[in-house]
């Protein structure tokens, strides 16, 4: 290394040392401020709010600094006017002044030329530098000269400008997705920073980086709309737990931790759906007709006595008769409110109670000689109270208009599905008492919750009673403090203040309330009615119409980023068409963009995978791959011993570094896993292990250095296309059954 190169490295190392010294100071200050803020000071709601905001801000800063510490700075841009800016994962100032930041956040407008500048459009840059660090040590520099008139050279020039990108795509996988903040390409940057505030659809084939783009867009929106999204949170919906585990470190590495990651199975608070459906059952449950079927089933629970067979309600003053006419009038009045079932129930109950009170009044107050009723208003009111508190009356009301829970209602419905064609009903029918909810049940639970509503009047009354009790207790304490002033001061003008001089009973009671220190994401996870500031859906083409109804309720502003590829739709219930998904909710008011460059899959692998889809659609064109490895995929007959052939292939493909995925039909996992050390079938895979066994749908959205596909003839077209496009280096195919025609 030349003296000049050494000096450049030393200069960047000195900057990194200075930067991290500032980070250490910030970390210490933030930790101290959090500790101080947690000390009980101040009174009333405003003081608690200010404390909670400070704790959230400082805790967020601590989390961000800890997450990005080792790779905080990754680039520098030198402007033609001599000014230089270092670019990093978060912004850092030298101090609290408004002077030029020590480190520019990659999301800031001034950093954008780092991603968009070219030789043809340098955007005011003369040089773009990529820094590679290990921990806090600078290990590599790569310079791109953008101003052709600039004659200065450092010895780190990169003629192609692609060295950092190719190093990233060729690097060994770890089982966790890495951020692409160092290598964001121009087409990706335009999507990440898109100003569109409604629904943005990002479509792209395998390896185009659409998931990474969506995650970086989430980070960008959290930067641009910090105040809003810090309150409302961002929801990211993924296809399965393995995928969420795979992407889970991306946003923290960008300094963002206030995001809720969930699968469809986790979107109904209190329910973890771990059961499985047949493909047919999942398709029926996800279909749009289920919404009407459930609505009709709720109305079915609003009953009437049979004509001529009224309910007889025992009462101390003689039996009351609840007949069809009374119940019908009450039901119509309740339905006319257009409230959900449980919220309309009090209206039904009031009408029934009024009718039975009138019946009782007429009986007791009737003049045997035909005169007017001799009961006064107070007497009638007393009779009404007696009817209203009668357990027998409420039992009759409950029989006709029961209070329902989503879980109880749906369990009963699935035991005997109605308002569906018999074939569909048979597909989803399950034994009474079965309690293993499936992912396809979650949108139905949410739909049921919307139809039923929650009558929380009792809970609100109890909370108010508890608050009044605290206030009464505080008032008593203050009264005692007044009583303690019976002694006299020598100075009659003493300014000594007592407790009641500076705080009233209500404020004192507020201090006893427990503050909610949960983040917005944590609160959102527990609240079915939460409205998110932004929602990102990965593999969006797989979601059913019922799942979209659930998600649209969570996004009343329709601020969403949808990521997917219709060519990879494998779920029977999947919509697979952006127009069909979005038209019912936003019409044509959405933006559709497509990523066309494949950064992950080598050209040799993509050529084989493309044949699978061309077999059903000859016009199909895959995204173009940016690289070739020279390793052609191979296909072998496994013979009679499939497990042995898999074990030998695994031994051949297992990398010294990186990860190998064996993708096989789930029914073969027991057989395949037997001879493989450390590989166990079933459950959620640990993607950090060197060898991972997956089903084709578990592999969605994931990538591995090497992939072995087993028995491709058992895969559907989309599943096979997904399985074949997971490899970044080598692909092998094993079979003992007939191959699909596209692979022969």
């Amino acid at each position: 290394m030349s003296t000049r190169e050494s000096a450049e490295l030393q200069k960047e190392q000195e900057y990194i040392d200075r930067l991290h010294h500032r980070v250490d100071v910030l970390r210490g200050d933030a930790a101290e401020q959090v500790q101080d803020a947690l000390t009980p000071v101040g009174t009333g709601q405003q003081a608690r709010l200010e404390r909670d905001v400070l704790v959230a801000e400082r805790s967020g800063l601590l989390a961000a600094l800890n997450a990005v510490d080792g790779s905080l700075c990754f680039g520098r841009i030198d402007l033609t006017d001599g000014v230089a800016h270092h670019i990093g994962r978060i912004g850092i100032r030298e101090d609290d002044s408004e002077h030029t930041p020590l480190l520019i956040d990659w999301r800031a407008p001034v950093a954008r030329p780092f991603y968009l500048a070219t030789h043809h459009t340098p955007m005011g840059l003369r040089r773009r530098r990529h820094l590679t660090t290990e921990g806090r040590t600078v290990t590599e520099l790569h310079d791109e000269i953008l101003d052709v008139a600039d004659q200065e050279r450092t010895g780190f020039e990169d003629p192609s400008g692609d060295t950092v990108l190719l190093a990233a795509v060729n690097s060994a996988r770890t089982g966790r997705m890495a951020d692409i903040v160092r290598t964001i390409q121009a087409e990706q940057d335009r999507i990440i920073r898109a100003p569109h505030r409604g629904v943005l659809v990002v479509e792209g084939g395998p390896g185009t980086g659409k998931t990474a783009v969506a995650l970086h867009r989430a980070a960008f929106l959290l930067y641009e709309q910090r105040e809003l999204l810090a309150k409302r949170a961002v929801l990211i919906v993924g296809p399965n737990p393995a995928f969420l585990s795979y992407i889970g470190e991306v946003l923290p590495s960008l300094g963002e931790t206030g995001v809720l990651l969930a699968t469809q199975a986790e979107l109904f608070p209190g329910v973890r759906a771990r059961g499985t459906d047949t493909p047919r059952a999942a398709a029926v449950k996800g279909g749009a007709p289920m919404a009407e079927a459930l609505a009709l089933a709720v109305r079915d629970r609003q009953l009437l006595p049979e004509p001529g067979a009224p309910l007889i309600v025992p009462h101390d003053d003689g039996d009351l008769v609840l007949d069809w006419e009374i119940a019908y009038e009450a039901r119509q009045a309740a339905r006319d409110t257009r409230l959900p079932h449980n919220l309309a129930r009090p209206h039904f109950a009031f009408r029934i109670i009024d009718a039975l009170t009138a019946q009782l009044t007429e009986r007791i107050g009737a003049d045997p000689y035909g005169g007017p009723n001799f009961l006064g208003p107070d007497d009638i009111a007393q009779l009404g109270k007696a009817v209203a508190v009668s357990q027998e009356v409420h039992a009759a009301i409950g029989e006709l208009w029961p209070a329902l829970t989503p879980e109880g209602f749906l369990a009963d419905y699935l035991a005997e599905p109605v308002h569906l064609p018999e074939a569909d009903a048979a597909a989803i029918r399950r034994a009474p008492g079965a309690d293993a909810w499936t992912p396809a049940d979650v949108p139905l639970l949410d739909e049921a919750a919307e139809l039923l509503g929650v009558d929380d009047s009792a809970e609100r009354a109890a909370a108010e009673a508890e608050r009044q009790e605290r206030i009464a207790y505080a008032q008593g304490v203050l009264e005692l403090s007044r009583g303690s002033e019976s002694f006299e001061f020598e100075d009659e003008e003493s300014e000594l203040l007592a407790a009641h001089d500076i705080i009233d009973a209500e404020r004192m009671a507020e201090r006893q309330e427990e503050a909610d220190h949960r983040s917005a994401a944590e609160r959102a996870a527990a609240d079915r009615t939460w409205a998110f500031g932004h929602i990102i859906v990965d593999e969006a083409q797989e979601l059913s119409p019922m799942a979209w109804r659930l998600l649209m309720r969570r996004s009343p502003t329709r601020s969403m980023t949808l990521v997917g590829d219709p060519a990879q739709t494998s779920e029977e219930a999947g919509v697979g068409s952006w127009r069909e998904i979005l038209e019912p909710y936003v019409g044509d008011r959405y933006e559709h963009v497509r990523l066309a460059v494949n950064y992950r899959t080598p050209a040799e692998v993509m050529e084989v995978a493309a044949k699978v889809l061309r077999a059903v659609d000859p016009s199909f064109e895959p995204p173009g791959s940016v690289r070739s490895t020279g390793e052609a995929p191979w296909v072998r007959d496994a013979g009679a011993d499939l497990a042995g052939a898999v074990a030998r292939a695994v031994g051949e493909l297992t990398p010294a570094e990186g990860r190998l995925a064996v993708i096989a039909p789930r029914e073969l996992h027991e057989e395949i896993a037997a001879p493989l050390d450390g590989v166990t079938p079933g459950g959620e895979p640990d993607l950090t292990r060197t060898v991972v066994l997956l089903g084709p749908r578990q592999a969605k959205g994931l990538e591995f250095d090497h992939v072995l596909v087993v028995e491709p003839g058992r895969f559907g077209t989309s599943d096979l296309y997904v399985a074949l496009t997971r490899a970044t280096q080598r692909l092998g195919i094993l079979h003992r059954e007939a191959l699909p025609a596209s692979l022969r």
Side-chain angles (χ1 to χ4, degrees), residues 319-386:
D319 291 345
L320 300 173
V321 179
L322 205 174
D323 59 19
W324 184 91
E325 288 79 7
I326 292 174
Y328 178 81
E329 189 279 333
R331 186 176 74 172
Q332 287 304 112
R335 285 180 174 177
D336 287 346
T337 66
R338 299 187 179 275
L339 292 170
H341 174 88
N342 289 330
L343 298 182
R345 187 174 184 271
H347 295 269
F348 177 80
F350 293 153
R351 291 298 185 113
I352 295 295
I353 290 169
D354 284 349
L356 295 182
T357 299
Q359 190 179 117
L360 191 59
T361 299
E362 184 177 350
R363 178 193 304 161
I364 294 176
D367 184 342
Y369 302 104
N373 193 302
F374 58 79
L375 293 179
D378 291 343
D379 299 318
I380 295 173
Q382 196 63 34
L383 288 176
K385 289 180 181 178

Side-chain angles (χ1 to χ4, degrees), residues 131-463:
L131 284 75
T132 302
T133 58
E134 290 184 9
R136 298 187 176 191
T137 302
V138 179
T139 58
E140 292 182 57
L141 302 177
H142 296 278
D143 287 344
E144 292 178 69
I145 305 301
L146 299 174
D147 181 359
V148 293
D150 184 4
Q151 299 301 312
E152 182 184 349
R153 295 295 180 266
T154 63
F156 295 105
E157 281 70 29
D158 176 7
S160 71
D162 292 332
T163 300
V164 174
L165 172 63
L166 292 175
V169 297
N170 282 311
S171 62
R173 270 41 190 175
T174 65
R176 295 288 181 265
M177 177 182 274
D179 66 69
I180 60 168
V181 68
R182 299 177 64 218
T183 59
I184 293 171
Q185 301 300 293
E187 68 166 356
Q188 297 171 331
D189 183 83
R190 282 188 280 272
I191 296 170
I192 289 168
R193 299 174 194 262
H196 186 70
R197 290 183 175 269
V199 178
L200 175 65
V201 175
V202 183
E203 182 180 330
T208 53
K210 55 187 178 294
T211 296
V213 166
L215 294 173
H216 287 69
R217 177 163 172 77
F220 175 76
L221 292 173
L222 285 163
Y223 175 83
E224 284 281 289
Q225 304 173 30
R226 177 73 61 189
E227 185 174 349
L228 169 64
L229 296 184
K231 294 176 182 176
R232 303 310 313 167
V234 172
L235 170 65
I236 298 178
V237 181
N240 54 59
F243 175 83
L244 294 183
S245 174
Y246 176 65
I247 68 170
E249 295 178 5
V250 173
L251 285 169
S253 75
L254 300 174
E256 299 296 348
T257 56
V259 176
L260 175 63
L261 279 70
T263 65
Q264 176 180 307
E266 299 166 315
L267 291 178
F268 193 85
V271 168
R272 284 297 178 97
R274 306 199 183 280
T276 55
D277 277 312
T278 65
R280 174 65 178 149
V284 173
K285 289 179 178 180
M290 281 300 307
E292 183 178 0
L294 292 176
L296 292 173
V298 169
R299 290 174 70 88
D300 289 346
R301 302 299 296 273
Q302 300 162 3
L303 303 175
L304 300 174
E306 290 294 330
L311 295 180
I312 305 302
V313 183
H315 192 271
D316 291 344
D317 295 308
D319 291 345
L320 300 173
V321 179
L322 205 174
D323 59 19
W324 184 91
E325 288 79 7
I326 292 174
Y328 178 81
E329 189 279 333
R331 186 176 74 172
Q332 287 304 112
R335 285 180 174 177
D336 287 346
T337 66
R338 299 187 179 275
L339 292 170
H341 174 88
N342 289 330
L343 298 182
R345 187 174 184 271
H347 295 269
F348 177 80
F350 293 153
R351 291 298 185 113
I352 295 295
I353 290 169
D354 284 349
L356 295 182
T357 299
Q359 190 179 117
L360 191 59
T361 299
E362 184 177 350
R363 178 193 304 161
I364 294 176
D367 184 342
Y369 302 104
N373 193 302
F374 58 79
L375 293 179
D378 291 343
D379 299 318
I380 295 173
Q382 196 63 34
L383 288 176
K385 289 180 181 178
V387 172
V389 299
S390 167
Q391 292 184 0
E392 290 78 7
V393 170
H394 282 282
I397 291 170
E399 185 177 338
L400 298 178
W401 195 297
L404 300 173
T405 65
E407 295 89 339
F409 165 74
L410 186 60
D412 290 344
Y413 178 85
L414 293 176
E416 193 52 54
V418 291
H419 305 296
L420 291 172
E422 180 50 38
D424 290 348
I428 66 173
R429 186 178 288 115
R430 69 182 193 184
D435 58 358
W437 297 113
T438 70
D441 290 331
V442 168
L444 305 189
L445 287 167
D446 196 74
E447 189 75 22
E450 284 292 305
L451 293 168
L452 298 176
V454 178
D455 181 5
D456 61 352
S457 55
E459 289 82 354
R460 286 187 283 108

Side-chain angles (χ1 to χ4, degrees), residues 508-557:
M508 188 172 181
E510 283 180 353
R511 295 189 63 181
Q512 310 308 312
E513 295 177 16
E514 185 176 345
D516 188 349
H517 291 294
R518 293 177 301 169
S519 68
E522 290 169 330
R523 295 197 305 275
D527 184 354
R528 190 194 70 81
T529 63
W530 190 273
F532 288 91
H534 192 77
I535 295 179
I536 291 174
V537 185
D538 207 304
E539 302 294 347
Q541 76 281 351
E542 303 289 5
L543 294 189
S544 69
M546 291 302 293
W548 284 112
R549 288 174 66 89
L550 179 156
L551 287 176
M552 291 299 175
R553 292 187 193 108
R554 306 292 198 275
S555 181
T557 61

Side-chain angles (χ1 to χ4, degrees), residues 644-683:
V646 170
R648 290 188 293 276
V650 167
E652 175 186 336
L653 289 171
T654 300
E657 292 184 286
R659 301 293 179 269
L660 164 67
V662 180
I663 304 177
R666 297 294 289 267
E667 64 269 19
L668 297 179
H669 282 199
E670 290 276 355
E671 178 184 354
I672 289 172
L676 299 179
D677 291 338
V679 176
T680 55

Side-chain angles (χ1 to χ4, degrees), residues 598-611:
N598 187 334
Y599 299 98
R600 176 181 70 216
T601 318
E604 296 86 350
V605 173
M606 205 63 217
E607 182 180 349
V608 172
K611 292 178 181 178

Side-chain angles (χ1 to χ4, degrees), residues 650-727:
V650 167
E652 175 186 336
L653 289 171
T654 300
E657 292 184 286
R659 301 293 179 269
L660 164 67
V662 180
I663 304 177
R666 297 294 289 267
E667 64 269 19
L668 297 179
H669 282 199
E670 290 276 355
E671 178 184 354
I672 289 172
L676 299 179
D677 291 338
V679 176
T680 55
E684 293 301 327
D686 179 359
L687 299 178
T688 63
R689 298 186 67 87
T690 303
V691 180
V692 183
L693 178 60
L694 301 167
R697 297 189 184 183
Q698 286 180 302
K700 274 188 172 295
L702 308 181
E703 61 183 35
F704 304 88
D705 299 88
H706 310 301
V707 170
L708 178 64
V709 176
V710 181
E711 290 298 12
R714 296 196 186 189
F715 294 11
T717 299
S718 294
D719 285 344
L720 181 55
Y721 181 62
V722 169
L724 294 174
T725 54
R726 300 305 97 192

Side-chain angles (χ1 to χ4, degrees), residues 569-587:
T569 305
S570 55
E571 296 289 345
E572 272 193 56
V575 178
S577 160
W578 304 122
R579 184 186 62 78
E580 289 180 48
I581 291 171
L582 295 171
E583 192 173 65
Y585 304 102
V586 297

